[in-house]
Amino acid sequence: MTASTSPTPNASPTLDGLFRRILSRQPQALALVDPADKLRITATEPQRLTFADADRAISALTAHFMEAGLPANSVIAVQLPNTIEFVLTVLAAHRAGLIVALLPQLWRQADLTMALNRCSARALVTSSKIDGVSHADLVMNAAAEAFSIRYVGGFGSDLPEGMTPLDAVVSGEFVEPTLAAQDARRAAIVSFDVTSDGFRAVPRTHLNLISGGLAVFLESGMPQGATIMSAMVPSSFASVASSLVTWLLSGGVLALHHPFDNTALERGIAANACDVLVAPAPLAQRLAEGGLLDRSPVLRYVLGLWRAPEQVAASSAWPGSQASFTDVYLFGEAGLFGAIRGGDGLPVAIMPGPHGAPRAQQGSSIAGDIMLTPRGTLGLRGPMVPVLAYTAQADASNALIPAKPLDYVDTGYVARLDRATGAINITAPPSGIMAVGGYRFLAQDLNEWARRLGENAMLTALPDRLSGYRLAGRASNNGRARDALTELGLNPLMVEAFRDRAAAD
């Protein structure tokens, strides 16, 4: 079944509008492929869906969300692994007129509760288990502390009481809903960032999302009808723009890999004849150096996402000749830009000012604008950048003097201009902010968490090539420290910082 309302002709498309355009052209073409090891990840069997299959599942979920009484423009929070269910839920939520809040998989009760309350989420969707952890129980506990939550749904089996089983919804009968016209200027997702001012929710419209996806899609040069392997955790603007949106722009196949079993990833690339890989840049480089490209002759385009963009300039030369490599610079949730490497395999110079996509092509569409701010930090503006979400408030001590509105976002990344070339060099991450993989937090929080554990406890962040930072902790009783942090609702990155080193080694 297809939705009864089609996009307005010549109107800017939404993500669902892009999906339905592909559906109308090739309903029986393969669309989505689950990770081959999905049984290990969620205890459910992997699926392969055509566009028609996916559309039926999306319509069933759409009807269910509307019947559940979720009003248009309300927020549905999603904490799901990198499986087909994530894609189906996002597109169904948009078809129902909802806004999707992306919740990182590592978040536990403390982070979840704060995020749900910050965006006033009305609904919450998760998976029964992810990598052996009962996320259904975690989500139910967080929902109990978020007063705005009115609905909780879950995929998988052994769901707790009060959680709607969504597998039955997808496979069951439904009445095709009557949909309102979609508006690409309306908010599509909410992601969460940490800046020097603290935790903030960052909403983006469909236009913002598609602009980000186009910047990556056009710069990388990937073809129409591409088979894309995405190994990105679906919890940020960058992960959605570089995988789900690029898939909709290409009209090909989106194969998914839940991070990170390198052997399973390589098998998936070969089994699905993937010509595009989207992965964290340090991981992609490590795989290439280990011979991945030689063993995957069909692979032609690799998109490496840098959560620590200050590391790009010092990174190794890309060793592949058959596959191009595109550096995708990520700046928290503020924005991104891409730059494909040349024949020498080295990162290209990033010049200030407007940049097109592809940037080497004269007259290409402007993807954004890069600048050096008066503070000596990197600023971003352009169609993907949600300036209003980062606009500074008036200084409380000078309430009569309103803050001057800016037309750019200050990312906080320290940068300088190269005197010889005029290029921008990113030299350091934002002051006072730590990032472990995709998890960002204030450095002062480390001391606060350690203080809660007693005088003899220490928690520190150490530089790490793959993740940006890694956490290490020490306490008089590591087991007791782990239990205390778990009771505080902190995520496993904090808890496992106090693992017993002898046992781990």
Side-chain angles (χ1 to χ4, degrees):
M1 297 184 183
T2 58
S4 57
T5 302
S6 59
T8 303
N10 301 320
S12 298
T14 61
L15 297 193
D16 181 49
L18 291 175
F19 174 83
R20 288 190 283 174
R21 287 183 183 181
I22 306 167
L23 173 69
S24 66
R25 296 196 304 265
Q26 49 185 44
Q28 299 308 317
L30 183 62
L32 295 168
V33 179
D34 256 329
D37 58 348
K38 185 180 181 182
L39 191 61
R40 174 191 64 81
I41 300 162
T42 65
T44 57
E45 294 290 340
Q47 303 178 71
R48 296 170 66 90
L49 302 182
T50 65
F51 281 95
D53 295 333
D55 181 64
R56 188 201 180 282
I58 292 166
S59 291
L61 286 169
T62 301
H64 173 72
F65 292 149
M66 297 177 77
E67 290 168 2
L70 298 176
N73 297 317
S74 59
V75 174
I76 179 170
V78 173
Q79 188 183 53
L80 289 168
N82 197 28
T83 60
I84 281 176
E85 285 79 6
F86 173 80
V87 177
L88 299 178
T89 302
V90 169
L91 293 177
H94 289 164
R95 192 173 287 185
L98 305 176
I99 303 164
V100 178
L102 305 173
L103 303 177
Q105 183 189 317
L106 281 174
W107 281 9
R108 297 299 185 257
Q109 191 164 341
D111 292 315
L112 290 173
T113 302
M114 179 167 56
L116 294 173
N117 285 325
R118 184 64 60 89
C119 67
S120 300
R122 294 288 294 268
L124 188 50
V125 171
T126 191
S127 180
S128 173
K129 289 182 174 61
I130 307 176
D131 288 326
V133 176
S134 177
H135 278 256
D137 290 334
L138 292 171
V139 156
M140 290 299 283
N141 291 334
E145 296 188 18
F147 299 115
S148 59
I149 295 292
R150 296 293 181 268
Y151 168 93
V152 183
F155 293 96
S157 57
D158 300 324
L159 299 174
E161 185 177 352
M163 181 173 284
T164 302
L166 294 178
D167 288 332
V169 171
V170 170
S171 61
E173 297 296 323
F174 65 96
V175 177
E176 191 72 43
T178 300
L179 306 182
Q182 299 190 25
D183 187 350
R185 297 165 297 179
R186 191 179 64 193
I189 66 166
V190 177
S191 55
F192 300 93
D193 203 355
V194 173
T195 69
S196 57
D197 297 323
F199 184 84
R200 67 175 68 219
V202 183
R204 267 189 171 84
T205 67
H206 292 267
L207 289 176
N208 294 148
L209 269 177
I210 293 171
S211 296
L214 276 170
V216 174
F217 178 79
L218 295 174
E219 178 64 20
S220 68
M222 75 172 72
Q224 291 291 323
T227 299
I228 302 168
M229 171 62 74
S230 171
M232 296 301 301
V233 179
S235 58
S236 66
F237 157 65
S239 63
V240 171
S242 62
S243 55
L244 190 153
V245 179
T246 56
W247 164 61
L248 294 174
L249 292 170
S250 76
V253 180
L254 180 61
L256 301 169
H257 171 75
H258 184 74
F260 283 111
D261 180 329
N262 294 350
T263 302
L265 173 61
E266 189 169 332
R267 284 202 305 265
I269 292 171
N272 296 291
C274 296
D275 43 6
V276 180
L277 170 63
V278 182
L283 174 68
Q285 288 195 314
R286 191 172 67 187
L287 292 173
E289 291 164 359
L292 170 68
L293 299 180
D294 295 332
R295 297 187 295 270
S296 306
V298 178
L299 193 61
R300 290 289 183 272
Y301 309 86
V302 178
L303 280 61
L305 276 61
W306 293 93
R307 295 189 180 105
E310 69 277 8
Q311 296 179 357
V312 179
S315 64
S316 303
W318 178 244
S321 56
Q322 72 175 44
S324 63
F325 186 80
T326 301
D327 292 303
V328 182
Y329 295 67
L330 311 183
F331 301 92
E333 296 301 303
L336 57 82
F337 58 79
I340 191 168
R341 297 197 177 189
D344 59 3
L346 295 173
V348 301
I350 302 299
M351 306 302 292
H355 60 94
R359 63 177 56 237
Q361 180 178 313
Q362 285 286 82
S364 59
S365 299
I366 298 301
D369 198 351
I370 304 166
M371 70 194 71
L372 192 65
T373 74
R375 296 176 54 230
T377 54
L378 189 86
L380 296 177
R381 63 184 164 203
M384 78 178 76
V385 180
V387 175
L388 291 179
Y390 288 87
T391 299
Q393 301 299 315
D395 187 338
S397 62
N398 294 284
L400 297 179
I401 305 176
K404 182 180 179 180
L406 301 175
D407 65 347
Y408 65 89
V409 169
D410 185 344
T411 68
Y413 282 83
V414 181
R416 62 178 177 80
L417 292 179
D418 186 284
R419 291 185 178 180
T421 65
I424 284 186
N425 293 327
I426 305 167
T427 58
S431 176
I433 296 174
M434 298 291 182
V436 180
Y439 182 77
R440 286 158 61 98
F441 55 92
L442 294 175
Q444 67 190 37
D445 289 343
L446 289 179
N447 296 329
E448 175 62 26
W449 293 323
R451 273 199 298 270
R452 297 187 187 189
L453 298 174
E455 294 181 359
N456 297 323
M458 179 195 72
L459 186 58
T460 188
L462 305 173
D464 182 84
R465 182 172 178 268
L466 188 61
S467 300
Y469 287 92
R470 58 186 173 88
L471 298 180
R474 185 179 64 194
S476 55
N477 187 319
N478 280 346
R480 191 171 299 168
R482 289 195 300 271
D483 292 340
L485 291 176
T486 300
E487 289 176 5
L488 288 172
L490 298 183
N491 70 66
L493 290 173
M494 307 302 162
V495 176
E496 288 306 306
F498 290 92
R499 64 189 180 279
D500 295 319
R501 295 302 189 278
D505 296 339

